[in-house]
Amino acid sequence: MWGALGQVLAMKRAVIIAVSLVVVVTAFLAGSWYNQRASLKTSAMGARKILHYVDPMHPAYTSDKPGIAPDCGMELVPVYDDGSTGGAEGGAASRLPGTVNISAERQHLVGLKVQLVEKRSVARSLRALGRVAVDDRRVYLINSAAAGWVREISSVTVGSIVQKGQKLATFYSPEFLSSQQAYFYALNALDRFMNQDPPNADQIKLTRANIQQYGDSLRSLGMGESQIEAIGRTRTLTDQIEMTSPTSGIVIARNLYPGQRFDRATEFYKIADLSHVWILVDIYENEAGYFKPGARVPVHSSNLNRTYQATVSDAPPIFESASRTLKLRLEVDNPGQVLRPDMFVHLELLVELPSAITVPVDAVVDSGIQRTVYVDKGNGIFEPRKVETGWRHGDRVEIVKGLTPGERIVVSGTFLIDSESRMRAAAAGISGETDKDPVCGMEVDVGKAKAAGRHSVYNGNIYVFCIEECKHRFDKDPRRYVGEATDKEAVRRPKDLQGVEWQGATVTAPETWGGSRREMGTASGAVGRGDQLHD
């Protein structure tokens, strides 16, 4: 019995010893791993050197010592020699809402590509569709000058091409008889005076004037020039008055029939001279400036396989409310009259645009309310940036405001970054359009700020604020924060703060202070908050 008990105790003692050895080995390995990680971390931290400290909301403010930022009381963050920023433990500095951090592996996985922002001149090819129209200065109407009826008509109809002087119809009118008789009387009188010996020059001159007057009477009634000459030679009255074409062109209207009774001022034909036509083109308002009066524009007809050189008319374009476009008029010679009304032609104008910042269309995320690009800040950090766009041509769009040459932006994989950025912004309490607080520069949700009453109106512009303190400071002296110097006190720029002692640190600032009026006002406002920096 005692022997069995001893065996049991010996087995328990062996198990305890084995477990103890496992625990000791595990603790040793864990300690070694921890020490190695701590050593690596300390080594990594020690490898980085702090250059200076910056205000996370205004990186223009730098200090050689840690402290509190002058705007909204945020803690200054260190800037390391490797370009990264963070706290003492290497955490990320405060960034704009929606900023994302994507590793190189993920960038390759999603096909993310970045591109350098450049400012360059662009040659834009402006294409449009034009429609051939009749030059209304070359439209001729044939009307009746007296009552009568139609005897016969020719085969000419709408769309027919006619030549000048071509017979169109014959008609009868009683008023022609008296006019023909007066014309014949003047011709006979001229013959008598010419045969006198010696001829009477005064009578000949007066008679020639009468012949011209009676001939004009026949022309005004509608008799053609060739028929007037014919009856002048034969001195024979006719009741078949010929109606002829006053020009070469196309018949665009016909309103007479055989046996038709007509009154004075009845319209018979409308004929258009097509040797010179118009090209009507619908263009947008922002394109009108490219078409200067007198400019030459190539016009191509695909059906005819011909290209014409049209000229921009001096007449300004007419705005059409239905299509919300401008109706531009081009003028072009039409040899052979091959261009017909309502034909379509294509025009292409090469426009040299001034130097501008342009980016690929895919780089801009357009939400309908605002347009955003993502700027590569380095080390896998991508910051959303609101921009204003201008013209768009092909796969390029102009950036009017928001980017500067030399920056790098995302041009491929933008929507994937935008999705993550929106989730980050939502987690930070930003759900809509953002704008900068003019006092501290912090990005603020415009909708929430307005709902909370943290907004002010100055000179017609709406400004939103992150906290009530910023709004109070703005309302107290708004001109200081929008870049307007007061009469008694000029706004001190960051350049003026070089070497100023503040909270035990020396404040430094860059020599240049660029940006828009709002951005400059933001910086000036931040300086204005530190009353101890002023005299």
Side-chain angles (χ1 to χ4, degrees):
M1 172 181 168
W2 291 105
L5 182 60
Q7 290 179 356
V8 172
L9 292 176
M11 291 177 62
K12 288 184 177 180
R13 190 179 300 113
V15 172
I16 292 173
I17 292 173
V19 171
S20 300
L21 287 174
V22 171
V23 171
V24 170
V25 171
T26 302
F28 176 78
L29 293 176
S32 298
W33 177 81
Y34 177 82
N35 289 333
Q36 184 179 7
R37 295 284 293 178
S39 176
L40 290 174
K41 184 175 181 179
T42 303
S43 175
M45 290 294 294
R48 295 195 302 171
K49 179 182 178 182
I50 296 178
L51 299 179
H52 52 263
Y53 294 85
V54 298
D55 179 347
M57 290 296 102
H58 290 100
Y61 296 100
T62 62
S63 173
D64 56 358
K65 296 180 181 180
I68 302 300
D71 56 351
C72 291
M74 298 186 67
E75 184 178 359
L76 297 176
V77 296
V79 177
Y80 297 97
D81 56 359
D82 62 357
S84 61
T85 59
E89 298 300 327
S94 298
R95 305 187 186 113
L96 291 176
T99 300
V100 296
N101 193 340
I102 302 177
S103 64
E105 292 78 8
R106 285 190 61 200
Q107 293 181 34
H108 178 72
L109 182 64
V110 301
L112 188 145
K113 296 180 182 179
V114 297
Q115 190 177 93
L116 189 68
V117 176
E118 296 179 334
K119 187 175 184 179
R120 57 187 178 183
S121 58
V122 179
R124 179 184 181 186
S125 181
L126 186 62
R127 297 182 178 88
L129 186 67
R131 181 177 60 85
V132 179
V134 173
D135 184 345
D136 60 16
R137 298 167 298 185
R138 297 171 180 263
V139 175
Y140 297 84
L141 297 179
I142 301 179
N143 299 321
S144 62
W149 60 84
V150 178
R151 291 285 182 85
E152 60 181 25
I153 62 174
S154 66
S155 61
V156 171
T157 184
V158 174
S160 299
I161 297 295
V162 296
Q163 302 300 320
K164 183 176 181 180
Q166 180 177 336
K167 180 179 175 181
L168 302 177
T170 59
F171 64 93
Y172 169 78
S173 176
E175 296 187 27
F176 276 89
L177 295 177
S178 58
S179 297
Q180 290 182 75
Q181 291 174 346
Y183 182 62
F184 294 158
Y185 177 81
L187 289 175
N188 294 330
L190 179 62
D191 291 340
R192 291 195 305 271
F193 294 141
M194 293 290 293
N195 293 327
Q196 286 181 353
D197 188 19
N200 191 323
D202 292 337
Q203 288 181 332
I204 292 175
K205 182 179 180 181
L206 178 61
T207 304
R208 289 185 185 277
N210 291 334
I211 293 174
Q212 181 66 37
Q213 178 183 353
Y214 298 141
D216 290 341
S217 177
L218 292 173
R219 293 184 188 92
S220 63
L221 289 173
M223 181 176 287
E225 193 67 37
S226 59
Q227 190 174 20
I228 293 175
E229 293 178 357
I231 65 173
R233 289 193 305 270
T234 61
R235 312 290 171 89
T236 303
L237 291 174
T238 180
D239 59 357
Q240 300 286 336
I241 310 302
E242 296 179 357
M243 186 185 305
T244 59
S245 174
T247 185
S248 297
I250 186 172
V251 177
I252 57 179
R254 192 198 77 167
N255 297 306
L256 81 166
Y257 305 92
Q260 175 184 346
R261 171 74 180 182
F262 58 84
D263 295 323
R264 186 186 301 270
T266 299
E267 180 180 306
F268 294 136
Y269 289 95
K270 182 182 292 185
I271 301 174
D273 179 6
L274 297 182
S275 61
H276 188 87
V277 296
W278 289 349
I279 306 294
L280 302 181
V281 186
D282 290 326
I283 61 174
Y284 295 106
E285 296 177 64
N286 60 344
E287 297 173 339
Y290 303 138
F291 295 91
K292 303 296 183 182
R296 303 284 287 177
V297 181
V299 175
H300 181 73
S301 173
S302 300
N303 295 331
L304 303 175
N305 195 24
R306 296 182 61 176
T307 300
Y308 302 84
Q309 290 295 326
T311 303
V312 179
S313 173
D314 294 334
I318 300 174
F319 182 76
E320 290 192 348
S321 58
S323 61
R324 310 302 297 175
T325 58
L326 292 170
K327 186 73 72 176
L328 177 71
R329 181 198 302 171
L330 307 178
E331 299 186 19
V332 61
D333 290 331
N334 184 23
Q337 303 186 15
V338 292
L339 292 177
R340 302 295 178 85
D342 295 326
M343 276 187 175
F344 287 107
V345 294
H346 301 273
L347 61 93
E348 182 174 357
L349 180 66
L350 187 62
V351 179
E352 289 289 341
L353 299 176
S355 182
I357 294 176
T358 64
V359 300
V361 173
D362 292 339
V364 182
V365 180
D366 191 346
S367 66
I369 299 177
Q370 66 182 27
R371 296 165 181 83
T372 307
V373 299
Y374 286 88
V375 181
D376 183 5
K377 307 300 289 187
N379 298 321
I381 298 174
F382 299 93
E383 177 185 281
R385 181 83 59 81
K386 290 190 298 183
V387 295
E388 295 179 10
T389 59
W391 53 259
R392 173 177 174 175
H393 177 61
D395 62 346
R396 306 289 295 184
V397 61
E398 179 191 18
I399 302 298
V400 178
K401 181 180 178 182
L403 288 178
T404 57
E407 293 184 299
R408 297 178 66 84
I409 62 170
V410 177
V411 297
S412 178
T414 314
F415 286 97
L416 296 175
I417 294 183
D418 184 62
S419 299
E420 185 168 347
S421 174
R422 289 176 183 273
M423 289 189 292
R424 295 284 181 90
I430 304 295
S431 59
E433 182 184 0
T434 63
D435 200 359
K436 283 187 177 181
D437 185 324
V439 176
C440 67
M442 181 178 292
E443 288 289 327
V444 182
D445 189 306
V446 175
K448 291 183 177 180
K450 288 182 177 180
R454 295 193 306 272
H455 67 280
S456 297
V457 179
Y458 179 70
N459 282 345
N461 296 320
I462 299 177
Y463 300 89
V464 293
F465 309 94
C466 59
I467 57 176
E468 288 293 337
E469 175 64 18
C470 290
K471 181 180 185 304
H472 174 72
R473 290 180 180 274
F474 181 87
D475 293 340
K476 186 177 179 180
D477 189 3
R479 290 190 294 173
R480 172 175 295 176
Y481 301 102
V482 296
E484 299 178 5
T486 61
D487 296 335
K488 298 181 180 180
E489 181 181 63
V491 177
R492 182 173 290 184
R493 301 291 202 271
K495 181 178 178 181
D496 303 326
L497 299 177
Q498 299 283 354
V500 176
E501 291 290 335
W502 179 71
Q503 288 193 359
T506 302
V507 178
T508 61
E511 290 296 323
T512 59
W513 188 260
S516 64
R517 182 181 181 90
R518 287 285 302 275
E519 291 169 348
M520 182 173 291
T522 301
S524 303
V527 175
R529 288 200 59 199
D531 296 335
Q532 61 270 41
L533 297 180
H534 293 278
D535 296 335

